[in-house]
Amino acid sequence: MYQRFRSFFLLAGLFLLSACTSAGITVANAPVPFFEGTIERDIVFDEESKQTLDIYIPDRATEERLPVVIFFYGGRWTNGEKGDFAFVGTTLAEQGFVVVIPDYRKYPDVRFPAFVEDGANAVGWVHKNIGDYRGKSETLFLSGHSSGAHIASLLIVDERYLEDGTISAIKGFAGLAGPYSFTPEAEDVKIIFGPPSQYPQMQATTFVDGSEPPILLLYGRDDEIVAPYNLERLRRKIEEKGGQVQAKYYSDVGHIEIIGAMSWIWRYKAPVVDDLALFFRENSDN
């Protein structure tokens, strides 16, 4: 009886994730209240814009400081909020990391590069303050999905956004299905990033020089939202410049499923959690 009930609940969750975003997020976040750790919510990292972040701290010996993962969620630069991705915070924290999920301003309230500047402010705050939350301030990783991966990639490659001391603390970047090298086609996205003369400033490939920390690029082969050339162009540019990059493709995984694979519902779809955790651990002592 239990197995049949569990199977029914799992299938229902899969349907909700694919058919209804808000309901799917609710299902994905169902285990969050049972997280064995501490969640510090709504910490202001930018007094001027009043943007906030959440911190997920796993239960460990109080004297132990852990590597820090700063995760930027996706939403087409127009929607989403940090609480929707609590499942990402708890999942990575359970792997032994302090996880930070910031909010950032979005269109139509702002246009590029305001949301990237918000990301920079969040990373700067984490670098200065994460020691108060048992994180290693000199072992930071950036990560993100979709437009969040785009924001994080610009923070990694474009030195104008972060201070030198913060840049040196970043040990790697892991991007999930990020649009790193696209040219806007939708009318609202043209407004977000325009005029066209500014497009190179929002493409990560413009700024790669090979000095970036190690980079992991993850992509689902069934992605119909972000084209694969985004990953390939960035990968080739990093390789041409002598940088460190890994690229992994997952079969039968789409744009939503790759982030869904970090939830309890779709974990079986792809080893996203394992691949991220391994990448962060391998580079924690670099």
Side-chain angles (χ1 to χ4, degrees):
M1 176 66 74
Y2 170 76
Q3 285 299 118
R4 279 184 291 175
F5 175 78
R6 185 178 183 277
S7 297
F8 171 79
F9 191 54
L10 178 60
L11 289 172
L14 288 170
F15 172 79
L16 287 170
L17 271 179
S18 60
C20 179
T21 301
S22 60
I25 287 171
T26 299
V27 175
N29 283 325
V32 170
F34 306 101
F35 170 58
E36 294 184 354
T38 302
I39 304 176
E40 300 286 351
R41 303 183 189 274
D42 301 323
I43 300 172
V44 176
F45 66 81
D46 187 335
E47 290 291 346
E48 183 176 349
S49 66
K50 302 302 180 185
Q51 295 301 302
T52 62
L53 52 78
D54 294 341
I55 304 176
Y56 298 80
I57 311 165
D59 282 343
R60 290 290 181 91
T62 55
E63 68 274 8
E64 183 179 2
R65 297 205 174 274
L66 302 173
V68 179
V69 178
I70 306 171
F71 181 87
F72 293 92
Y73 57 83
R76 204 171 173 270
W77 309 278
T78 61
N79 56 68
E81 57 184 49
K82 55 185 172 55
D84 293 343
F85 296 87
F87 70 92
V88 174
T90 55
T91 295
L92 289 177
E94 287 167 353
Q95 295 293 316
F97 307 101
V98 171
V99 183
V100 180
I101 303 182
D103 268 329
Y104 50 90
R105 291 171 294 171
K106 304 167 187 72
Y107 178 80
D109 294 332
V110 298
R111 301 178 185 179
F112 174 80
F115 38 79
V116 185
E117 293 168 345
D118 288 346
N121 288 337
V123 174
W125 185 95
V126 170
H127 183 226
K128 294 174 183 176
N129 297 281
I130 201 63
D132 296 336
Y133 302 89
R134 296 201 0 253
K136 289 183 179 179
S137 62
E138 296 304 320
T139 308
L140 309 182
F141 294 93
L142 303 191
S143 187
H145 171 244
S146 193
S147 56
H150 170 260
I151 291 171
S153 71
L154 286 175
L155 296 178
I156 285 287
V157 300
D158 189 345
E159 62 184 13
R160 293 175 297 180
Y161 289 109
L162 297 174
E163 296 178 356
D164 290 343
T166 303
I167 292 174
S168 64
I170 298 174
K171 306 305 180 186
F173 161 62
L176 286 67
Y180 310 112
S181 185
F182 78 107
T183 298
E185 296 182 358
E187 291 305 315
D188 61 335
V189 180
K190 290 179 180 178
I191 295 172
I192 292 172
F193 291 104
S197 61
Q198 184 172 254
Y199 290 166
Q201 302 302 306
M202 45 76 70
Q203 296 167 338
T205 46
T206 300
F207 304 99
V208 171
D209 63 10
S211 67
E212 298 80 18
I215 291 175
L216 173 65
L217 303 175
L218 305 179
Y219 184 80
R221 293 190 183 277
D222 288 353
D223 195 323
E224 297 181 353
I225 295 177
V226 172
Y229 69 75
N230 283 278
L231 181 151
E232 286 302 324
R233 288 178 182 173
L234 182 56
R235 179 184 62 81
R236 286 198 299 269
K237 188 66 175 290
I238 295 169
E239 290 176 344
E240 289 170 2
K241 296 293 184 178
Q244 302 178 61
V245 61
Q246 305 175 54
K248 292 196 173 186
Y249 288 85
Y250 303 118
S251 299
D252 302 318
V253 170
H255 191 73
I256 301 303
E257 291 168 310
I258 197 169
I259 186 67
M262 298 186 72
S263 74
W264 67 277
I265 302 172
W266 273 351
R267 187 75 63 87
Y268 74 95
K269 292 288 290 184
V272 174
V273 175
D274 292 341
D275 289 339
L276 289 174
L278 178 62
F279 175 75
F280 298 145
R281 290 184 188 120
E282 287 182 337
N283 292 285
S284 289
D285 296 327
N286 289 357

